Amino acid sequence: MSEIRHDWTKEEILEIYNKPLLELVYEAATVHRKYHNPNEVQVSTLLSIKTGGCPEDCAYCPQAARYHTDIETNDLMTVDQVKAQALRAKSSGSSRVCMGAAWRNVEDGPEFDQVLNMVRTINSLDMEVCCTLGMLSESQAKRLAEAGLYAYNHNLDSSEEYYKEIISTRGWEDRLETLNNVRKTNVTVCSGGIIGMGESIEDRAGMLLALASLSPQPESVPINALVSVEGTPLEEQQIVPIWDMIRMVATTRIVLPSTTVRLSAGRTEMSKEGQAFCFMAGAGSIFAGDKLLTTPNPDVNEDMELFNILGINPMKPYAKGAKPTPLPQEEMTPSVDEKVKWSRPGHRIEKNVEATKKANKKRKEAI
């Protein structure tokens, strides 16, 4: 039976990943039943509160300003707009709302104050509230915690080695620093990655090794299948085989046994049977709603139909942790100008450069 370890080796993780599939799923299902209720899955809603215009060059992302995609950019939503969306999500069975903003990093000021009010508002609806806002300083993490944030998402994306093939505008160490800043508060950590970006199986194992080595391990790990979007450097990538997703979910479950494994992007390409296999292998969360930030997602009614077929119940909010109690506004830590210097590696990633040139050409032709 698996136990929580922080001393995994890449070779051990690869050995697990490459086991005969049915043996792998059986082992993962056994671990899942030790640490989790196999008949409960959390339903979460991912809401893009500020869309597009991001200065990063992440090869998978349609929100990068340098690429030419068809997404509609939007300024930061109002608190009332977010509250309405959260109430809609709650009525559909979601117990968590994750708010995403297309920022490189959080900057103190009116927009961050607005996000803090959003956090406080969703917390008051008795829903878990998660944010993914980019890189985060220690004091910013503290202010989010004081507002009632339950979780902060900041994905490692891939292994440290393959990360350099996907992103040149921020460093791997900045990802770890952000997670470390979150850990200095009572906010839980959500960090995972994407498969299907052209990485090797060794890279997948490397990402899990990095996550498992954190102490404590993340409370949740999203496993995303790349959704290739026209105009991004990865637009030609093939759909991830469902068997790869099942293997990745199962391996994550064994290596990080107490963590909630989140079956995230790419579910529109998965059959009901494939998703059921993922639940058996240890997935304990899905994102509901017709969009995951900017990419398609199954309709919530389809998800509830699948839950009924499988006998799965949506998890209640705060099933795995106490509800945070926000501080009164007047007791919140005041904003400080920390002048955090996040890295900009700036190395050349040929496919990202070519996608940028292609986008610039399209923009000139449109003038």
Side-chain angles (χ1 to χ4, degrees), residues 4 6 31-32 35-36 183 189-192 208 211-212 214 216-223 249 252-262 281-285 320:
I4 298 173
H6 303 279
V31 173
H32 191 53
Y35 290 89
H36 308 268
R183 273 289 176 230
V189 167
C190 178
S191 185
L208 293 182
L211 292 168
L214 296 174
Q217 292 174 347
E219 283 78 4
S220 66
V221 171
I223 301 297
V249 167
T252 306
R253 165 51 58 240
I254 294 167
V255 175
L256 296 102
S258 67
T259 292
T260 296
V261 182
R262 299 187 179 275
S285 170
K320 297 193 172 182

PDB file of all heavy atoms in Angstrom, residues 4 6 31-32 35-36 183 189-192 208 211-212 214 216-223 249 252-262 281-285 320:
ATOM      1  N   ILE A   4       2.799   8.214   1.981  1.00  0.00           N
ATOM      2  CA  ILE A   4       3.281   9.515   1.515  1.00  0.00           C
ATOM      3  C   ILE A   4       4.792   9.559   1.637  1.00  0.00           C
ATOM      4  O   ILE A   4       5.350   9.443   2.727  1.00  0.00           O
ATOM      5  CB  ILE A   4       2.617  10.651   2.303  1.00  0.00           C
ATOM      6  CG1 ILE A   4       1.101  10.628   2.068  1.00  0.00           C
ATOM      7  CG2 ILE A   4       3.200  12.004   1.893  1.00  0.00           C
ATOM      8  CD1 ILE A   4       0.324  11.593   2.917  1.00  0.00           C
ATOM      9  N   HIS A   6       8.490  11.515   0.092  1.00  0.00           N
ATOM     10  CA  HIS A   6       9.079  12.682  -0.576  1.00  0.00           C
ATOM     11  C   HIS A   6      10.419  12.331  -1.219  1.00  0.00           C
ATOM     12  O   HIS A   6      11.120  13.220  -1.696  1.00  0.00           O
ATOM     13  CB  HIS A   6       9.248  13.831   0.418  1.00  0.00           C
ATOM     14  CG  HIS A   6       7.982  14.236   1.098  1.00  0.00           C
ATOM     15  ND1 HIS A   6       7.047  15.058   0.512  1.00  0.00           N
ATOM     16  CD2 HIS A   6       7.473  13.893   2.308  1.00  0.00           C
ATOM     17  CE1 HIS A   6       6.029  15.232   1.346  1.00  0.00           C
ATOM     18  NE2 HIS A   6       6.271  14.529   2.430  1.00  0.00           N
ATOM     19  N   VAL A  31      -5.020   2.425  -3.762  1.00  0.00           N
ATOM     20  CA  VAL A  31      -4.518   3.587  -3.030  1.00  0.00           C
ATOM     21  C   VAL A  31      -5.618   4.625  -2.869  1.00  0.00           C
ATOM     22  O   VAL A  31      -5.796   5.213  -1.784  1.00  0.00           O
ATOM     23  CB  VAL A  31      -3.300   4.201  -3.758  1.00  0.00           C
ATOM     24  CG1 VAL A  31      -2.867   5.514  -3.099  1.00  0.00           C
ATOM     25  CG2 VAL A  31      -2.142   3.210  -3.783  1.00  0.00           C
ATOM     26  N   HIS A  32      -6.372   4.855  -3.923  1.00  0.00           N
ATOM     27  CA  HIS A  32      -7.445   5.856  -3.899  1.00  0.00           C
ATOM     28  C   HIS A  32      -8.446   5.553  -2.785  1.00  0.00           C
ATOM     29  O   HIS A  32      -8.883   6.458  -2.061  1.00  0.00           O
ATOM     30  CB  HIS A  32      -8.138   5.877  -5.261  1.00  0.00           C
ATOM     31  CG  HIS A  32      -9.071   7.029  -5.450  1.00  0.00           C
ATOM     32  ND1 HIS A  32      -8.698   8.340  -5.249  1.00  0.00           N
ATOM     33  CD2 HIS A  32     -10.386   7.072  -5.827  1.00  0.00           C
ATOM     34  CE1 HIS A  32      -9.719   9.140  -5.500  1.00  0.00           C
ATOM     35  NE2 HIS A  32     -10.761   8.391  -5.841  1.00  0.00           N
ATOM     36  N   TYR A  35      -7.253   6.563   0.801  1.00  0.00           N
ATOM     37  CA  TYR A  35      -7.156   7.972   1.169  1.00  0.00           C
ATOM     38  C   TYR A  35      -8.391   8.808   0.812  1.00  0.00           C
ATOM     39  O   TYR A  35      -8.538   9.933   1.294  1.00  0.00           O
ATOM     40  CB  TYR A  35      -5.933   8.597   0.490  1.00  0.00           C
ATOM     41  CG  TYR A  35      -4.617   8.125   1.039  1.00  0.00           C
ATOM     42  CD1 TYR A  35      -3.976   6.998   0.525  1.00  0.00           C
ATOM     43  CD2 TYR A  35      -3.991   8.805   2.085  1.00  0.00           C
ATOM     44  CE1 TYR A  35      -2.747   6.565   1.025  1.00  0.00           C
ATOM     45  CE2 TYR A  35      -2.766   8.383   2.602  1.00  0.00           C
ATOM     46  CZ  TYR A  35      -2.166   7.253   2.070  1.00  0.00           C
ATOM     47  OH  TYR A  35      -0.956   6.831   2.571  1.00  0.00           O
ATOM     48  N   HIS A  36      -9.268   8.292  -0.052  1.00  0.00           N
ATOM     49  CA  HIS A  36     -10.381   9.093  -0.574  1.00  0.00           C
ATOM     50  C   HIS A  36     -11.643   8.243  -0.678  1.00  0.00           C
ATOM     51  O   HIS A  36     -11.569   7.015  -0.729  1.00  0.00           O
ATOM     52  CB  HIS A  36     -10.034   9.657  -1.963  1.00  0.00           C
ATOM     53  CG  HIS A  36      -8.725  10.375  -2.018  1.00  0.00           C
ATOM     54  ND1 HIS A  36      -8.597  11.732  -1.809  1.00  0.00           N
ATOM     55  CD2 HIS A  36      -7.461   9.920  -2.264  1.00  0.00           C
ATOM     56  CE1 HIS A  36      -7.327  12.082  -1.913  1.00  0.00           C
ATOM     57  NE2 HIS A  36      -6.616  10.992  -2.196  1.00  0.00           N
ATOM     58  N   ARG A 183       2.671  28.542   0.610  1.00  0.00           N
ATOM     59  CA  ARG A 183       2.835  27.629   1.748  1.00  0.00           C
ATOM     60  C   ARG A 183       3.067  28.368   3.071  1.00  0.00           C
ATOM     61  O   ARG A 183       2.923  27.795   4.148  1.00  0.00           O
ATOM     62  CB  ARG A 183       3.992  26.675   1.494  1.00  0.00           C
ATOM     63  CG  ARG A 183       3.593  25.437   0.729  1.00  0.00           C
ATOM     64  CD  ARG A 183       2.741  24.515   1.617  1.00  0.00           C
ATOM     65  NE  ARG A 183       2.269  23.356   0.883  1.00  0.00           N
ATOM     66  CZ  ARG A 183       1.023  22.950   0.848  1.00  0.00           C
ATOM     67  NH1 ARG A 183       0.081  23.628   1.497  1.00  0.00           N
ATOM     68  NH2 ARG A 183       0.681  21.868   0.190  1.00  0.00           N
ATOM     69  N   VAL A 189      -2.332  24.362  -1.681  1.00  0.00           N
ATOM     70  CA  VAL A 189      -1.597  24.460  -2.946  1.00  0.00           C
ATOM     71  C   VAL A 189      -2.213  23.542  -3.994  1.00  0.00           C
ATOM     72  O   VAL A 189      -2.488  22.373  -3.729  1.00  0.00           O
ATOM     73  CB  VAL A 189      -0.113  24.103  -2.735  1.00  0.00           C
ATOM     74  CG1 VAL A 189       0.596  23.876  -4.067  1.00  0.00           C
ATOM     75  CG2 VAL A 189       0.594  25.209  -1.949  1.00  0.00           C
ATOM     76  N   CYS A 190      -2.408  24.089  -5.188  1.00  0.00           N
ATOM     77  CA  CYS A 190      -2.889  23.334  -6.346  1.00  0.00           C
ATOM     78  C   CYS A 190      -1.848  23.513  -7.450  1.00  0.00           C
ATOM     79  O   CYS A 190      -1.608  24.629  -7.901  1.00  0.00           O
ATOM     80  CB  CYS A 190      -4.251  23.870  -6.792  1.00  0.00           C
ATOM     81  SG  CYS A 190      -4.935  23.067  -8.262  1.00  0.00           S
ATOM     82  N   SER A 191      -1.212  22.416  -7.856  1.00  0.00           N
ATOM     83  CA  SER A 191      -0.157  22.530  -8.870  1.00  0.00           C
ATOM     84  C   SER A 191      -0.030  21.226  -9.626  1.00  0.00           C
ATOM     85  O   SER A 191       0.068  20.160  -9.019  1.00  0.00           O
ATOM     86  CB  SER A 191       1.183  22.878  -8.209  1.00  0.00           C
ATOM     87  OG  SER A 191       2.185  23.099  -9.185  1.00  0.00           O
ATOM     88  N   GLY A 192      -0.060  21.312 -10.946  1.00  0.00           N
ATOM     89  CA  GLY A 192       0.053  20.128 -11.783  1.00  0.00           C
ATOM     90  C   GLY A 192       0.686  20.474 -13.105  1.00  0.00           C
ATOM     91  O   GLY A 192       1.658  21.233 -13.152  1.00  0.00           O
ATOM     92  N   LEU A 208       6.098  14.832 -11.944  1.00  0.00           N
ATOM     93  CA  LEU A 208       5.548  14.210 -10.740  1.00  0.00           C
ATOM     94  C   LEU A 208       6.596  14.118  -9.640  1.00  0.00           C
ATOM     95  O   LEU A 208       6.276  14.270  -8.452  1.00  0.00           O
ATOM     96  CB  LEU A 208       4.992  12.823 -11.070  1.00  0.00           C
ATOM     97  CG  LEU A 208       3.748  12.798 -11.976  1.00  0.00           C
ATOM     98  CD1 LEU A 208       3.279  11.363 -12.184  1.00  0.00           C
ATOM     99  CD2 LEU A 208       2.625  13.649 -11.397  1.00  0.00           C
ATOM    100  N   LEU A 211       6.734  17.484  -7.914  1.00  0.00           N
ATOM    101  CA  LEU A 211       5.560  17.710  -7.068  1.00  0.00           C
ATOM    102  C   LEU A 211       5.611  16.847  -5.811  1.00  0.00           C
ATOM    103  O   LEU A 211       5.305  17.301  -4.713  1.00  0.00           O
ATOM    104  CB  LEU A 211       4.282  17.425  -7.856  1.00  0.00           C
ATOM    105  CG  LEU A 211       3.971  18.397  -8.998  1.00  0.00           C
ATOM    106  CD1 LEU A 211       2.853  17.854  -9.876  1.00  0.00           C
ATOM    107  CD2 LEU A 211       3.597  19.772  -8.458  1.00  0.00           C
ATOM    108  N   ALA A 212       6.004  15.573  -5.983  1.00  0.00           N
ATOM    109  CA  ALA A 212       6.060  14.655  -4.847  1.00  0.00           C
ATOM    110  C   ALA A 212       7.156  15.046  -3.863  1.00  0.00           C
ATOM    111  O   ALA A 212       7.064  14.742  -2.667  1.00  0.00           O
ATOM    112  CB  ALA A 212       6.272  13.233  -5.330  1.00  0.00           C
ATOM    113  N   LEU A 214       7.910  18.041  -2.942  1.00  0.00           N
ATOM    114  CA  LEU A 214       7.504  19.170  -2.112  1.00  0.00           C
ATOM    115  C   LEU A 214       7.002  18.652  -0.770  1.00  0.00           C
ATOM    116  O   LEU A 214       6.356  17.615  -0.686  1.00  0.00           O
ATOM    117  CB  LEU A 214       6.395  19.975  -2.803  1.00  0.00           C
ATOM    118  CG  LEU A 214       6.759  20.650  -4.119  1.00  0.00           C
ATOM    119  CD1 LEU A 214       5.527  21.287  -4.751  1.00  0.00           C
ATOM    120  CD2 LEU A 214       7.860  21.694  -3.916  1.00  0.00           C
ATOM    121  N   PRO A 216       4.877  20.092   2.559  1.00  0.00           N
ATOM    122  CA  PRO A 216       3.973  18.999   2.193  1.00  0.00           C
ATOM    123  C   PRO A 216       3.694  18.978   0.690  1.00  0.00           C
ATOM    124  O   PRO A 216       3.922  19.958  -0.012  1.00  0.00           O
ATOM    125  CB  PRO A 216       2.700  19.317   2.981  1.00  0.00           C
ATOM    126  CG  PRO A 216       2.730  20.796   3.171  1.00  0.00           C
ATOM    127  CD  PRO A 216       4.177  21.171   3.303  1.00  0.00           C
ATOM    128  N   GLN A 217       3.200  17.831   0.235  1.00  0.00           N
ATOM    129  CA  GLN A 217       2.824  17.719  -1.171  1.00  0.00           C
ATOM    130  C   GLN A 217       1.590  18.579  -1.445  1.00  0.00           C
ATOM    131  O   GLN A 217       0.825  18.889  -0.532  1.00  0.00           O
ATOM    132  CB  GLN A 217       2.532  16.258  -1.520  1.00  0.00           C
ATOM    133  CG  GLN A 217       3.777  15.382  -1.467  1.00  0.00           C
ATOM    134  CD  GLN A 217       3.490  13.909  -1.680  1.00  0.00           C
ATOM    135  OE1 GLN A 217       2.341  13.475  -1.641  1.00  0.00           O
ATOM    136  NE2 GLN A 217       4.543  13.122  -1.888  1.00  0.00           N
ATOM    137  N   PRO A 218       1.383  19.015  -2.697  1.00  0.00           N
ATOM    138  CA  PRO A 218       0.197  19.821  -3.017  1.00  0.00           C
ATOM    139  C   PRO A 218      -1.090  19.098  -2.623  1.00  0.00           C
ATOM    140  O   PRO A 218      -1.193  17.880  -2.767  1.00  0.00           O
ATOM    141  CB  PRO A 218       0.282  19.992  -4.534  1.00  0.00           C
ATOM    142  CG  PRO A 218       1.724  19.792  -4.861  1.00  0.00           C
ATOM    143  CD  PRO A 218       2.232  18.776  -3.877  1.00  0.00           C
ATOM    144  N   GLU A 219      -2.057  19.870  -2.155  1.00  0.00           N
ATOM    145  CA  GLU A 219      -3.358  19.277  -1.818  1.00  0.00           C
ATOM    146  C   GLU A 219      -4.101  18.832  -3.061  1.00  0.00           C
ATOM    147  O   GLU A 219      -4.937  17.921  -2.995  1.00  0.00           O
ATOM    148  CB  GLU A 219      -4.208  20.275  -1.024  1.00  0.00           C
ATOM    149  CG  GLU A 219      -3.831  20.431   0.427  1.00  0.00           C
ATOM    150  CD  GLU A 219      -2.592  21.302   0.652  1.00  0.00           C
ATOM    151  OE1 GLU A 219      -2.047  21.871  -0.312  1.00  0.00           O
ATOM    152  OE2 GLU A 219      -2.161  21.420   1.815  1.00  0.00           O
ATOM    153  N   SER A 220      -3.821  19.466  -4.192  1.00  0.00           N
ATOM    154  CA  SER A 220      -4.444  19.001  -5.437  1.00  0.00           C
ATOM    155  C   SER A 220      -3.489  19.174  -6.611  1.00  0.00           C
ATOM    156  O   SER A 220      -2.666  20.093  -6.633  1.00  0.00           O
ATOM    157  CB  SER A 220      -5.772  19.708  -5.701  1.00  0.00           C
ATOM    158  OG  SER A 220      -5.604  21.077  -5.941  1.00  0.00           O
ATOM    159  N   VAL A 221      -3.610  18.239  -7.560  1.00  0.00           N
ATOM    160  CA  VAL A 221      -2.753  18.230  -8.751  1.00  0.00           C
ATOM    161  C   VAL A 221      -3.635  18.094  -9.997  1.00  0.00           C
ATOM    162  O   VAL A 221      -4.196  17.028 -10.248  1.00  0.00           O
ATOM    163  CB  VAL A 221      -1.731  17.074  -8.698  1.00  0.00           C
ATOM    164  CG1 VAL A 221      -1.004  16.951 -10.033  1.00  0.00           C
ATOM    165  CG2 VAL A 221      -0.716  17.301  -7.584  1.00  0.00           C
ATOM    166  N   PRO A 222      -3.789  19.160 -10.780  1.00  0.00           N
ATOM    167  CA  PRO A 222      -4.527  19.049 -12.043  1.00  0.00           C
ATOM    168  C   PRO A 222      -3.684  18.331 -13.094  1.00  0.00           C
ATOM    169  O   PRO A 222      -2.505  18.643 -13.277  1.00  0.00           O
ATOM    170  CB  PRO A 222      -4.773  20.507 -12.459  1.00  0.00           C
ATOM    171  CG  PRO A 222      -4.342  21.347 -11.296  1.00  0.00           C
ATOM    172  CD  PRO A 222      -3.370  20.537 -10.514  1.00  0.00           C
ATOM    173  N   ILE A 223      -4.294  17.374 -13.776  1.00  0.00           N
ATOM    174  CA  ILE A 223      -3.675  16.718 -14.920  1.00  0.00           C
ATOM    175  C   ILE A 223      -4.459  17.150 -16.155  1.00  0.00           C
ATOM    176  O   ILE A 223      -5.635  16.801 -16.312  1.00  0.00           O
ATOM    177  CB  ILE A 223      -3.673  15.187 -14.780  1.00  0.00           C
ATOM    178  CG1 ILE A 223      -2.915  14.774 -13.515  1.00  0.00           C
ATOM    179  CG2 ILE A 223      -3.061  14.539 -16.017  1.00  0.00           C
ATOM    180  CD1 ILE A 223      -1.448  15.148 -13.487  1.00  0.00           C
ATOM    181  N   VAL A 249      -2.967   9.811 -14.585  1.00  0.00           N
ATOM    182  CA  VAL A 249      -3.814   9.937 -13.399  1.00  0.00           C
ATOM    183  C   VAL A 249      -3.442   8.858 -12.384  1.00  0.00           C
ATOM    184  O   VAL A 249      -3.270   9.130 -11.185  1.00  0.00           O
ATOM    185  CB  VAL A 249      -5.308   9.837 -13.775  1.00  0.00           C
ATOM    186  CG1 VAL A 249      -6.182   9.647 -12.532  1.00  0.00           C
ATOM    187  CG2 VAL A 249      -5.755  11.094 -14.528  1.00  0.00           C
ATOM    188  N   THR A 252      -0.003   9.487 -10.793  1.00  0.00           N
ATOM    189  CA  THR A 252      -0.121  10.608  -9.851  1.00  0.00           C
ATOM    190  C   THR A 252      -0.757  10.132  -8.557  1.00  0.00           C
ATOM    191  O   THR A 252      -0.293  10.473  -7.459  1.00  0.00           O
ATOM    192  CB  THR A 252      -0.946  11.751 -10.455  1.00  0.00           C
ATOM    193  OG1 THR A 252      -0.387  12.133 -11.709  1.00  0.00           O
ATOM    194  CG2 THR A 252      -0.969  12.964  -9.530  1.00  0.00           C
ATOM    195  N   ARG A 253      -1.810   9.340  -8.687  1.00  0.00           N
ATOM    196  CA  ARG A 253      -2.497   8.841  -7.493  1.00  0.00           C
ATOM    197  C   ARG A 253      -1.574   8.029  -6.597  1.00  0.00           C
ATOM    198  O   ARG A 253      -1.589   8.169  -5.370  1.00  0.00           O
ATOM    199  CB  ARG A 253      -3.703   7.986  -7.935  1.00  0.00           C
ATOM    200  CG  ARG A 253      -4.336   7.095  -6.892  1.00  0.00           C
ATOM    201  CD  ARG A 253      -4.687   7.797  -5.577  1.00  0.00           C
ATOM    202  NE  ARG A 253      -5.570   8.892  -5.757  1.00  0.00           N
ATOM    203  CZ  ARG A 253      -5.270  10.147  -5.420  1.00  0.00           C
ATOM    204  NH1 ARG A 253      -4.095  10.463  -4.905  1.00  0.00           N
ATOM    205  NH2 ARG A 253      -6.133  11.116  -5.598  1.00  0.00           N
ATOM    206  N   ILE A 254      -0.731   7.184  -7.185  1.00  0.00           N
ATOM    207  CA  ILE A 254       0.162   6.337  -6.394  1.00  0.00           C
ATOM    208  C   ILE A 254       1.290   7.145  -5.763  1.00  0.00           C
ATOM    209  O   ILE A 254       1.650   6.939  -4.597  1.00  0.00           O
ATOM    210  CB  ILE A 254       0.724   5.197  -7.269  1.00  0.00           C
ATOM    211  CG1 ILE A 254      -0.424   4.258  -7.695  1.00  0.00           C
ATOM    212  CG2 ILE A 254       1.803   4.423  -6.542  1.00  0.00           C
ATOM    213  CD1 ILE A 254      -0.042   3.284  -8.807  1.00  0.00           C
ATOM    214  N   VAL A 255       1.843   8.084  -6.529  1.00  0.00           N
ATOM    215  CA  VAL A 255       3.000   8.850  -6.056  1.00  0.00           C
ATOM    216  C   VAL A 255       2.597   9.953  -5.072  1.00  0.00           C
ATOM    217  O   VAL A 255       3.369  10.293  -4.170  1.00  0.00           O
ATOM    218  CB  VAL A 255       3.758   9.437  -7.273  1.00  0.00           C
ATOM    219  CG1 VAL A 255       4.905  10.334  -6.840  1.00  0.00           C
ATOM    220  CG2 VAL A 255       4.292   8.310  -8.153  1.00  0.00           C
ATOM    221  N   LEU A 256       1.395  10.503  -5.245  1.00  0.00           N
ATOM    222  CA  LEU A 256       0.885  11.532  -4.328  1.00  0.00           C
ATOM    223  C   LEU A 256      -0.457  11.040  -3.767  1.00  0.00           C
ATOM    224  O   LEU A 256      -1.529  11.514  -4.165  1.00  0.00           O
ATOM    225  CB  LEU A 256       0.714  12.872  -5.046  1.00  0.00           C
ATOM    226  CG  LEU A 256       1.994  13.522  -5.585  1.00  0.00           C
ATOM    227  CD1 LEU A 256       2.135  13.311  -7.095  1.00  0.00           C
ATOM    228  CD2 LEU A 256       2.016  15.012  -5.271  1.00  0.00           C
ATOM    229  N   PRO A 257      -0.431  10.085  -2.846  1.00  0.00           N
ATOM    230  CA  PRO A 257      -1.646   9.363  -2.470  1.00  0.00           C
ATOM    231  C   PRO A 257      -2.745  10.192  -1.809  1.00  0.00           C
ATOM    232  O   PRO A 257      -3.932   9.929  -2.022  1.00  0.00           O
ATOM    233  CB  PRO A 257      -1.131   8.274  -1.520  1.00  0.00           C
ATOM    234  CG  PRO A 257       0.199   8.756  -1.042  1.00  0.00           C
ATOM    235  CD  PRO A 257       0.772   9.553  -2.168  1.00  0.00           C
ATOM    236  N   SER A 258      -2.394  11.193  -1.013  1.00  0.00           N
ATOM    237  CA  SER A 258      -3.430  11.955  -0.314  1.00  0.00           C
ATOM    238  C   SER A 258      -3.920  13.162  -1.105  1.00  0.00           C
ATOM    239  O   SER A 258      -4.873  13.836  -0.720  1.00  0.00           O
ATOM    240  CB  SER A 258      -2.912  12.418   1.053  1.00  0.00           C
ATOM    241  OG  SER A 258      -1.871  13.361   0.896  1.00  0.00           O
ATOM    242  N   THR A 259      -3.274  13.428  -2.226  1.00  0.00           N
ATOM    243  CA  THR A 259      -3.596  14.576  -3.073  1.00  0.00           C
ATOM    244  C   THR A 259      -4.871  14.318  -3.877  1.00  0.00           C
ATOM    245  O   THR A 259      -5.121  13.194  -4.300  1.00  0.00           O
ATOM    246  CB  THR A 259      -2.424  14.839  -4.039  1.00  0.00           C
ATOM    247  OG1 THR A 259      -1.313  15.302  -3.282  1.00  0.00           O
ATOM    248  CG2 THR A 259      -2.770  15.856  -5.102  1.00  0.00           C
ATOM    249  N   THR A 260      -5.662  15.362  -4.104  1.00  0.00           N
ATOM    250  CA  THR A 260      -6.797  15.263  -5.025  1.00  0.00           C
ATOM    251  C   THR A 260      -6.268  15.420  -6.449  1.00  0.00           C
ATOM    252  O   THR A 260      -5.653  16.439  -6.777  1.00  0.00           O
ATOM    253  CB  THR A 260      -7.851  16.347  -4.748  1.00  0.00           C
ATOM    254  OG1 THR A 260      -8.399  16.140  -3.446  1.00  0.00           O
ATOM    255  CG2 THR A 260      -8.975  16.296  -5.775  1.00  0.00           C
ATOM    256  N   VAL A 261      -6.476  14.403  -7.272  1.00  0.00           N
ATOM    257  CA  VAL A 261      -6.052  14.461  -8.676  1.00  0.00           C
ATOM    258  C   VAL A 261      -7.204  15.044  -9.484  1.00  0.00           C
ATOM    259  O   VAL A 261      -8.317  14.500  -9.483  1.00  0.00           O
ATOM    260  CB  VAL A 261      -5.671  13.063  -9.207  1.00  0.00           C
ATOM    261  CG1 VAL A 261      -5.178  13.167 -10.658  1.00  0.00           C
ATOM    262  CG2 VAL A 261      -4.598  12.432  -8.326  1.00  0.00           C
ATOM    263  N   ARG A 262      -6.927  16.151 -10.175  1.00  0.00           N
ATOM    264  CA  ARG A 262      -7.984  16.858 -10.895  1.00  0.00           C
ATOM    265  C   ARG A 262      -7.913  16.538 -12.388  1.00  0.00           C
ATOM    266  O   ARG A 262      -6.931  16.865 -13.053  1.00  0.00           O
ATOM    267  CB  ARG A 262      -7.871  18.378 -10.654  1.00  0.00           C
ATOM    268  CG  ARG A 262      -8.016  18.718  -9.193  1.00  0.00           C
ATOM    269  CD  ARG A 262      -8.078  20.217  -8.908  1.00  0.00           C
ATOM    270  NE  ARG A 262      -8.236  20.408  -7.475  1.00  0.00           N
ATOM    271  CZ  ARG A 262      -9.413  20.391  -6.838  1.00  0.00           C
ATOM    272  NH1 ARG A 262     -10.529  20.239  -7.523  1.00  0.00           N
ATOM    273  NH2 ARG A 262      -9.464  20.540  -5.527  1.00  0.00           N
ATOM    274  N   ALA A 281      -9.044   5.177 -11.654  1.00  0.00           N
ATOM    275  CA  ALA A 281      -7.598   5.294 -11.437  1.00  0.00           C
ATOM    276  C   ALA A 281      -7.225   6.354 -10.409  1.00  0.00           C
ATOM    277  O   ALA A 281      -6.047   6.497 -10.078  1.00  0.00           O
ATOM    278  CB  ALA A 281      -6.910   5.609 -12.761  1.00  0.00           C
ATOM    279  N   GLY A 282      -8.227   7.107  -9.908  1.00  0.00           N
ATOM    280  CA  GLY A 282      -7.924   8.031  -8.829  1.00  0.00           C
ATOM    281  C   GLY A 282      -8.274   9.480  -9.032  1.00  0.00           C
ATOM    282  O   GLY A 282      -8.008  10.313  -8.157  1.00  0.00           O
ATOM    283  N   ALA A 283      -8.873   9.853 -10.163  1.00  0.00           N
ATOM    284  CA  ALA A 283      -9.288  11.249 -10.348  1.00  0.00           C
ATOM    285  C   ALA A 283     -10.424  11.571  -9.380  1.00  0.00           C
ATOM    286  O   ALA A 283     -11.396  10.827  -9.290  1.00  0.00           O
ATOM    287  CB  ALA A 283      -9.730  11.491 -11.785  1.00  0.00           C
ATOM    288  N   GLY A 284     -10.289  12.679  -8.670  1.00  0.00           N
ATOM    289  CA  GLY A 284     -11.295  13.032  -7.668  1.00  0.00           C
ATOM    290  C   GLY A 284     -11.910  14.392  -7.880  1.00  0.00           C
ATOM    291  O   GLY A 284     -12.555  14.935  -6.979  1.00  0.00           O
ATOM    292  N   SER A 285     -11.728  14.955  -9.086  1.00  0.00           N
ATOM    293  CA  SER A 285     -12.269  16.287  -9.355  1.00  0.00           C
ATOM    294  C   SER A 285     -12.384  16.499 -10.861  1.00  0.00           C
ATOM    295  O   SER A 285     -11.563  15.982 -11.628  1.00  0.00           O
ATOM    296  CB  SER A 285     -11.362  17.367  -8.755  1.00  0.00           C
ATOM    297  OG  SER A 285     -11.740  18.665  -9.194  1.00  0.00           O
ATOM    298  N   LYS A 320     -12.531  18.494   2.554  1.00  0.00           N
ATOM    299  CA  LYS A 320     -11.145  18.110   2.854  1.00  0.00           C
ATOM    300  C   LYS A 320     -10.369  19.203   3.578  1.00  0.00           C
ATOM    301  O   LYS A 320      -9.141  19.167   3.637  1.00  0.00           O
ATOM    302  CB  LYS A 320     -10.430  17.718   1.561  1.00  0.00           C
ATOM    303  CG  LYS A 320     -11.059  16.481   0.903  1.00  0.00           C
ATOM    304  CD  LYS A 320     -10.188  15.903  -0.171  1.00  0.00           C
ATOM    305  CE  LYS A 320     -10.763  14.568  -0.657  1.00  0.00           C
ATOM    306  NZ  LYS A 320      -9.917  13.930  -1.672  1.00  0.00           N
TER     307      LYS A 320
END
